[in-house]
Amino acid sequence: ANSKIMRLRSCTFSLATLIAPNNLKSSLINPKLSMSGVPLVSAPKTLLVTSETDAASMVMHDSLIKLGQWTEISTDKTKQKYWGHANGNVWMTRLKEPMIMSDNIDSVFVTDIGIYLTDVIFLSKHSAASGQPSLTVHPIGIPVSDNENKYGGIKGKFPPPNPRLSQFYNALERNIINEAISNEMQITFEVTHHGPYLDTPAMFCEIGSTESHWGRTDAGELWAKILSEMLNFESNQKKGFKMWFEMTETERKGSVVFVNLGGGHYAPKCGDMAKKGAFVGHMLANYAFDWGEKNNWKETISEAVASTRKSFVGGSLCALIDKKSFKSEQRKKIEETLSELEVPFSYKKEDLLENTL
Protein backbone atom coordinates (compact mmCIF):
# COMPACT_ATOMS: atom_id res chain seq x y z
CA ALA A 1 0.00 0.00 0.00
CA ASN A 2 1.23 3.52 -0.70
CA SER A 3 0.84 6.64 1.41
CA LYS A 4 -2.47 7.56 -0.19
CA ILE A 5 -5.55 6.77 1.82
CA MET A 6 -6.65 3.19 1.36
CA ARG A 7 -10.16 3.11 -0.04
CA LEU A 8 -12.12 0.25 1.49
CA ARG A 9 -15.79 -0.45 1.42
CA SER A 10 -17.76 1.81 3.72
CA CYS A 11 -16.29 1.96 7.23
CA THR A 12 -19.18 3.94 8.67
CA PHE A 13 -20.20 2.40 11.98
CA SER A 14 -23.73 1.07 12.12
CA LEU A 15 -25.98 1.56 15.11
CA ALA A 16 -27.16 -1.99 14.52
CA THR A 17 -23.69 -3.51 14.74
CA LEU A 18 -22.23 -1.58 17.66
CA ILE A 19 -23.26 -2.01 21.28
CA ALA A 20 -22.54 0.82 23.67
CA PRO A 21 -21.27 0.13 27.19
CA ASN A 22 -24.08 -0.83 29.55
CA ASN A 23 -24.15 2.52 31.30
CA LEU A 24 -24.59 4.41 28.02
CA LYS A 25 -27.58 2.56 26.61
CA SER A 26 -30.24 4.89 27.97
CA SER A 27 -28.48 8.12 27.05
CA LEU A 28 -25.99 7.71 24.23
CA ILE A 29 -27.88 5.46 21.86
CA ASN A 30 -31.61 6.07 21.95
CA PRO A 31 -33.45 4.17 19.19
CA LYS A 32 -36.16 6.84 19.12
CA LEU A 33 -33.55 9.47 18.31
CA SER A 34 -31.52 7.53 15.76
CA MET A 35 -33.44 8.41 12.61
CA SER A 36 -31.53 10.26 9.89
CA GLY A 37 -31.64 13.99 10.48
CA VAL A 38 -32.28 13.71 14.21
CA PRO A 39 -29.53 14.07 16.85
CA LEU A 40 -28.76 10.82 18.69
CA VAL A 41 -28.63 12.62 22.05
CA SER A 42 -30.93 15.47 22.99
CA ALA A 43 -28.82 16.56 25.98
CA PRO A 44 -25.44 15.03 26.93
CA LYS A 45 -24.94 14.17 30.59
CA THR A 46 -21.41 15.00 31.77
CA LEU A 47 -19.51 14.27 34.97
CA LEU A 48 -16.51 16.43 35.90
CA VAL A 49 -14.06 14.64 38.20
CA THR A 50 -11.63 16.44 40.53
CA SER A 51 -9.36 15.28 43.34
CA GLU A 52 -8.17 16.77 46.62
CA THR A 53 -4.76 15.16 46.00
CA ASP A 54 -4.19 17.29 42.88
CA ALA A 55 -3.40 21.04 43.16
CA ALA A 56 -4.35 21.81 39.55
CA SER A 57 -7.57 19.86 39.91
CA MET A 58 -8.56 21.88 42.96
CA VAL A 59 -7.81 25.17 41.19
CA MET A 60 -10.12 24.14 38.36
CA HIS A 61 -12.74 22.90 40.83
CA ASP A 62 -12.72 26.18 42.76
CA SER A 63 -12.82 28.25 39.56
CA LEU A 64 -15.91 26.36 38.41
CA ILE A 65 -17.64 26.77 41.77
CA LYS A 66 -16.98 30.53 41.63
CA LEU A 67 -18.96 30.75 38.39
CA GLY A 68 -22.04 29.93 40.46
CA GLN A 69 -25.20 27.93 39.73
CA TRP A 70 -23.91 24.81 41.51
CA THR A 71 -25.88 22.95 44.18
CA GLU A 72 -24.25 20.44 46.50
CA ILE A 73 -25.94 17.04 46.36
CA SER A 74 -26.10 14.72 49.34
CA THR A 75 -26.51 10.98 48.94
CA ASP A 76 -26.99 8.30 51.56
CA LYS A 77 -25.44 5.62 49.37
CA THR A 78 -21.81 6.80 49.64
CA LYS A 79 -19.81 9.59 51.23
CA GLN A 80 -18.86 10.87 47.77
CA LYS A 81 -19.31 14.62 47.28
CA TYR A 82 -21.28 15.85 44.26
CA TRP A 83 -22.42 19.16 42.85
CA GLY A 84 -25.08 19.58 40.19
CA HIS A 85 -25.17 22.50 37.77
CA ALA A 86 -28.34 24.49 37.16
CA ASN A 87 -28.38 23.52 33.49
CA GLY A 88 -29.37 20.02 34.62
CA ASN A 89 -26.81 18.19 32.47
CA VAL A 90 -23.49 18.59 34.31
CA TRP A 91 -22.30 17.21 37.64
CA MET A 92 -18.99 17.49 39.47
CA THR A 93 -17.43 15.22 42.07
CA ARG A 94 -14.38 15.66 44.31
CA LEU A 95 -12.37 12.58 45.18
CA LYS A 96 -10.04 12.02 48.10
CA GLU A 97 -7.86 9.61 46.10
CA PRO A 98 -5.85 10.17 42.88
CA MET A 99 -8.07 10.25 39.81
CA ILE A 100 -6.02 7.71 37.87
CA MET A 101 -7.01 5.11 40.46
CA SER A 102 -10.75 5.85 40.32
CA ASP A 103 -11.76 2.90 38.11
CA ASN A 104 -15.47 2.71 37.27
CA ILE A 105 -16.21 6.19 38.61
CA ASP A 106 -19.05 6.34 36.08
CA SER A 107 -20.73 3.29 37.60
CA VAL A 108 -20.35 4.79 41.07
CA PHE A 109 -22.13 7.94 39.85
CA VAL A 110 -25.00 5.94 38.39
CA THR A 111 -25.41 4.07 41.68
CA ASP A 112 -25.28 7.28 43.74
CA ILE A 113 -27.28 9.67 41.56
CA GLY A 114 -29.27 7.37 39.28
CA ILE A 115 -28.41 9.14 36.03
CA TYR A 116 -26.61 7.58 33.07
CA LEU A 117 -23.71 9.57 31.65
CA THR A 118 -22.65 10.28 28.08
CA ASP A 119 -19.12 11.41 28.99
CA VAL A 120 -16.65 12.03 31.82
CA ILE A 121 -14.01 14.79 32.02
CA PHE A 122 -11.15 14.56 34.52
CA LEU A 123 -9.59 17.87 35.63
CA SER A 124 -5.97 17.27 36.51
CA LYS A 125 -2.36 18.35 36.71
CA HIS A 126 0.14 17.50 33.97
CA SER A 127 3.72 16.57 34.83
CA ALA A 128 6.66 16.95 32.44
CA ALA A 129 10.42 16.96 32.99
CA SER A 130 10.73 19.80 30.48
CA GLY A 131 8.95 22.20 32.84
CA GLN A 132 7.11 23.74 29.88
CA PRO A 133 3.95 25.54 31.06
CA SER A 134 1.10 23.87 29.22
CA LEU A 135 -2.58 23.13 28.90
CA THR A 136 -3.16 19.60 27.64
CA VAL A 137 -5.99 17.31 26.57
CA HIS A 138 -5.80 13.55 26.09
CA PRO A 139 -7.70 10.24 26.04
CA ILE A 140 -6.89 7.56 28.59
CA GLY A 141 -5.85 3.91 28.64
CA ILE A 142 -2.92 1.60 29.31
CA PRO A 143 -1.50 0.59 25.91
CA VAL A 144 1.44 -1.46 27.19
CA SER A 145 0.89 -4.53 29.36
CA ASP A 146 3.29 -3.52 32.13
CA ASN A 147 3.99 -5.85 35.00
CA GLU A 148 3.21 -3.10 37.51
CA ASN A 149 -0.05 -1.21 37.78
CA LYS A 150 1.44 2.22 38.58
CA TYR A 151 -0.95 4.30 36.53
CA GLY A 152 -4.40 2.90 37.26
CA GLY A 153 -6.74 1.46 34.69
CA ILE A 154 -6.68 -2.04 33.21
CA LYS A 155 -3.62 -3.28 31.38
CA GLY A 156 -4.13 -3.26 27.62
CA LYS A 157 -7.57 -1.61 27.83
CA PHE A 158 -8.68 1.83 26.61
CA PRO A 159 -11.84 3.57 27.78
CA PRO A 160 -13.74 5.07 24.83
CA PRO A 161 -12.23 8.49 23.97
CA ASN A 162 -14.42 11.48 24.74
CA PRO A 163 -15.88 12.77 21.43
CA ARG A 164 -15.23 16.31 22.73
CA LEU A 165 -11.42 15.95 22.48
CA SER A 166 -10.95 17.89 19.24
CA GLN A 167 -13.38 20.62 20.17
CA PHE A 168 -11.83 21.16 23.59
CA TYR A 169 -8.43 21.47 21.93
CA ASN A 170 -9.85 24.04 19.53
CA ALA A 171 -11.56 25.86 22.40
CA LEU A 172 -8.19 26.19 24.14
CA GLU A 173 -6.64 27.65 21.00
CA ARG A 174 -9.57 30.03 20.55
CA ASN A 175 -9.88 31.24 24.14
CA ILE A 176 -6.23 31.64 25.07
CA ILE A 177 -5.64 34.34 22.44
CA ASN A 178 -6.93 37.15 24.64
CA GLU A 179 -5.40 35.82 27.86
CA ALA A 180 -2.21 37.09 29.48
CA ILE A 181 -0.87 33.53 29.62
CA SER A 182 -1.04 33.13 25.83
CA ASN A 183 2.70 33.76 25.40
CA GLU A 184 3.61 31.35 28.15
CA MET A 185 1.30 28.34 28.02
CA GLN A 186 1.67 25.73 25.29
CA ILE A 187 -1.49 23.99 24.08
CA THR A 188 -1.09 20.38 23.06
CA PHE A 189 -2.59 16.94 22.71
CA GLU A 190 -0.99 14.16 24.69
CA VAL A 191 -1.31 10.60 23.50
CA THR A 192 -3.39 7.94 25.24
CA HIS A 193 -1.90 7.06 28.63
CA HIS A 194 -2.69 6.16 32.28
CA GLY A 195 -5.95 5.25 34.02
CA PRO A 196 -8.54 5.07 35.30
CA TYR A 197 -10.71 2.57 33.46
CA LEU A 198 -14.39 3.22 32.83
CA ASP A 199 -16.98 2.31 30.21
CA THR A 200 -18.07 5.88 29.49
CA PRO A 201 -16.20 8.07 26.94
CA ALA A 202 -13.59 10.04 28.88
CA MET A 203 -10.70 12.48 28.65
CA PHE A 204 -8.31 14.46 30.84
CA CYS A 205 -8.00 18.27 30.77
CA GLU A 206 -4.81 19.41 32.46
CA ILE A 207 -2.60 22.23 33.70
CA GLY A 208 1.15 21.62 33.46
CA SER A 209 3.77 20.97 33.97
CA THR A 210 5.42 21.59 37.37
CA GLU A 211 4.28 22.39 40.89
CA SER A 212 4.77 26.11 40.20
CA HIS A 213 2.11 25.92 37.44
CA TRP A 214 -0.47 23.57 38.98
CA GLY A 215 -1.84 26.13 41.42
CA ARG A 216 -2.18 28.99 38.95
CA THR A 217 -5.60 30.58 39.18
CA ASP A 218 -5.34 32.15 35.70
CA ALA A 219 -5.03 28.70 34.13
CA GLY A 220 -7.84 27.37 36.32
CA GLU A 221 -10.10 30.27 35.36
CA LEU A 222 -9.36 29.73 31.67
CA TRP A 223 -10.36 26.09 31.95
CA ALA A 224 -13.55 27.11 33.83
CA LYS A 225 -14.40 29.52 31.02
CA ILE A 226 -13.91 26.80 28.41
CA LEU A 227 -15.93 24.23 30.35
CA SER A 228 -18.73 26.77 30.76
CA GLU A 229 -18.78 27.38 27.02
CA MET A 230 -18.47 23.77 25.92
CA LEU A 231 -20.95 22.33 28.44
CA ASN A 232 -23.59 25.02 27.95
CA PHE A 233 -23.61 26.44 31.45
CA GLU A 234 -25.61 29.38 30.09
CA SER A 235 -28.66 28.56 27.96
CA ASN A 236 -28.01 31.52 25.65
CA GLN A 237 -24.43 30.52 24.83
CA LYS A 238 -23.82 29.90 21.11
CA LYS A 239 -20.80 27.75 20.24
CA GLY A 240 -20.95 28.19 16.47
CA PHE A 241 -20.42 24.44 15.94
CA LYS A 242 -21.98 21.13 16.91
CA MET A 243 -20.67 18.59 19.36
CA TRP A 244 -20.62 14.98 18.21
CA PHE A 245 -23.50 14.26 20.59
CA GLU A 246 -25.57 16.92 18.82
CA MET A 247 -24.91 15.84 15.23
CA THR A 248 -27.37 13.97 13.06
CA GLU A 249 -26.54 10.62 11.46
CA THR A 250 -26.07 12.37 8.14
CA GLU A 251 -23.62 14.85 9.64
CA ARG A 252 -21.71 12.07 11.38
CA LYS A 253 -21.28 10.11 8.16
CA GLY A 254 -19.64 13.14 6.57
CA SER A 255 -17.17 13.63 9.43
CA VAL A 256 -13.65 12.25 9.67
CA VAL A 257 -12.74 10.37 12.84
CA PHE A 258 -9.19 9.09 13.22
CA VAL A 259 -6.78 7.20 15.43
CA ASN A 260 -3.12 8.17 15.47
CA LEU A 261 -0.41 5.49 15.37
CA GLY A 262 3.16 6.44 16.21
CA GLY A 263 5.04 9.61 17.00
CA GLY A 264 6.03 11.03 20.37
CA HIS A 265 4.16 11.63 23.61
CA TYR A 266 2.82 14.93 22.27
CA ALA A 267 0.80 14.89 19.06
CA PRO A 268 1.03 18.15 17.05
CA LYS A 269 -0.26 16.50 13.85
CA CYS A 270 -3.43 15.55 15.71
CA GLY A 271 -3.83 19.18 16.72
CA ASP A 272 -3.54 20.18 13.05
CA MET A 273 -6.22 17.62 12.16
CA ALA A 274 -8.52 18.90 14.90
CA LYS A 275 -8.18 22.47 13.63
CA LYS A 276 -9.39 21.26 10.24
CA GLY A 277 -12.52 19.71 11.71
CA ALA A 278 -11.47 16.08 12.20
CA PHE A 279 -12.46 14.22 15.37
CA VAL A 280 -9.57 12.76 17.35
CA GLY A 281 -9.89 9.30 18.87
CA HIS A 282 -7.13 7.33 20.53
CA MET A 283 -3.55 8.47 19.92
CA LEU A 284 -0.75 5.94 20.39
CA ALA A 285 2.90 6.96 20.66
CA ASN A 286 5.60 4.72 19.20
CA TYR A 287 6.42 3.46 22.71
CA ALA A 288 2.92 1.92 22.92
CA PHE A 289 3.88 -0.72 20.35
CA ASP A 290 5.68 -3.76 21.73
CA TRP A 291 7.46 -5.59 18.90
CA GLY A 292 9.61 -7.67 21.23
CA GLU A 293 8.89 -10.29 23.88
CA LYS A 294 5.25 -9.39 24.51
CA ASN A 295 4.65 -8.60 20.83
CA ASN A 296 1.27 -7.06 21.64
CA TRP A 297 1.29 -4.35 18.97
CA LYS A 298 -1.65 -5.88 17.08
CA GLU A 299 -3.83 -6.10 20.19
CA THR A 300 -2.97 -2.47 20.96
CA ILE A 301 -4.14 -1.31 17.53
CA SER A 302 -7.30 -3.43 17.69
CA GLU A 303 -8.17 -2.06 21.13
CA ALA A 304 -7.64 1.55 20.02
CA VAL A 305 -9.84 1.05 16.95
CA ALA A 306 -12.63 -0.77 18.80
CA SER A 307 -12.66 1.75 21.63
CA THR A 308 -12.76 4.74 19.28
CA ARG A 309 -15.62 3.20 17.32
CA LYS A 310 -17.66 2.94 20.52
CA SER A 311 -17.44 6.72 20.96
CA PHE A 312 -18.06 7.74 17.37
CA VAL A 313 -21.08 5.73 16.32
CA GLY A 314 -21.98 6.71 12.76
CA GLY A 315 -18.58 8.20 11.92
CA SER A 316 -16.02 7.21 9.28
CA LEU A 317 -12.89 5.98 11.04
CA CYS A 318 -9.41 6.41 9.52
CA ALA A 319 -5.86 6.01 10.81
CA LEU A 320 -2.91 8.39 10.61
CA ILE A 321 0.42 6.55 10.74
CA ASP A 322 3.72 8.20 11.62
CA LYS A 323 6.07 6.69 9.04
CA LYS A 324 9.31 7.46 10.89
CA SER A 325 8.16 5.59 14.00
CA PHE A 326 8.21 2.18 12.36
CA LYS A 327 10.52 0.00 10.30
CA SER A 328 9.41 -1.11 6.83
CA GLU A 329 8.32 -4.56 7.98
CA GLN A 330 6.46 -3.07 10.95
CA ARG A 331 4.62 -0.64 8.67
CA LYS A 332 3.55 -3.53 6.47
CA LYS A 333 2.12 -5.41 9.45
CA ILE A 334 0.27 -2.30 10.65
CA GLU A 335 -1.21 -1.77 7.19
CA GLU A 336 -2.37 -5.39 7.03
CA THR A 337 -3.97 -5.13 10.45
CA LEU A 338 -5.81 -1.91 9.58
CA SER A 339 -7.05 -3.54 6.37
CA GLU A 340 -8.39 -6.47 8.39
CA LEU A 341 -10.17 -3.99 10.66
CA GLU A 342 -11.55 -2.10 7.63
CA VAL A 343 -9.84 1.13 8.63
CA PRO A 344 -8.55 3.35 5.78
CA PHE A 345 -5.12 4.80 6.55
CA SER A 346 -2.52 7.28 5.39
CA TYR A 347 0.92 8.56 6.34
CA LYS A 348 -0.17 12.08 5.38
CA LYS A 349 -2.79 14.01 7.31
CA GLU A 350 -3.80 15.85 4.14
CA ASP A 351 -5.07 12.61 2.61
CA LEU A 352 -7.40 11.94 5.52
CA LEU A 353 -8.70 15.50 5.48
CA GLU A 354 -9.90 15.21 1.90
CA ASN A 355 -13.17 13.95 3.30
CA THR A 356 -13.79 17.16 5.29
CA LEU A 357 -12.37 19.91 3.08
Side-chain angles (χ1 to χ4, degrees), residues 20 82 122 150 184 202-203 209 221 225 270 275 311 350:
Y82 295 101
F122 295 86
K150 296 180 180 179
E184 183 181 359
M203 67 179 178
S209 55
E221 289 168 355
K225 177 182 177 181
C270 295
K275 291 175 186 177
S311 290
E350 292 80 9

Side-chain angles (χ1 to χ4, degrees), residues 5 51 96-97 117 127 138-139 153 180 189 214 227 231 246 260-261 264 279 283 289 304 333-334 344 347:
I5 187 169
S51 171
K96 293 187 179 296
E97 68 271 13
L117 297 163
S127 299
H138 70 84
F189 273 128
W214 298 335
L227 288 160
L231 301 180
E246 301 166 331
N260 181 78
L261 308 179
F279 288 86
M283 298 171 276
F289 296 81
K333 290 180 178 180
I334 290 173
Y347 294 91

Side-chain angles (χ1 to χ4, degrees), residues 166 169-170 189 258 269-280:
S166 286
Y169 177 90
N170 290 333
F189 273 128
F258 74 100
K269 289 182 181 178
C270 295
D272 294 339
M273 293 277 285
K275 291 175 186 177
K276 295 292 185 179
F279 288 86
V280 180

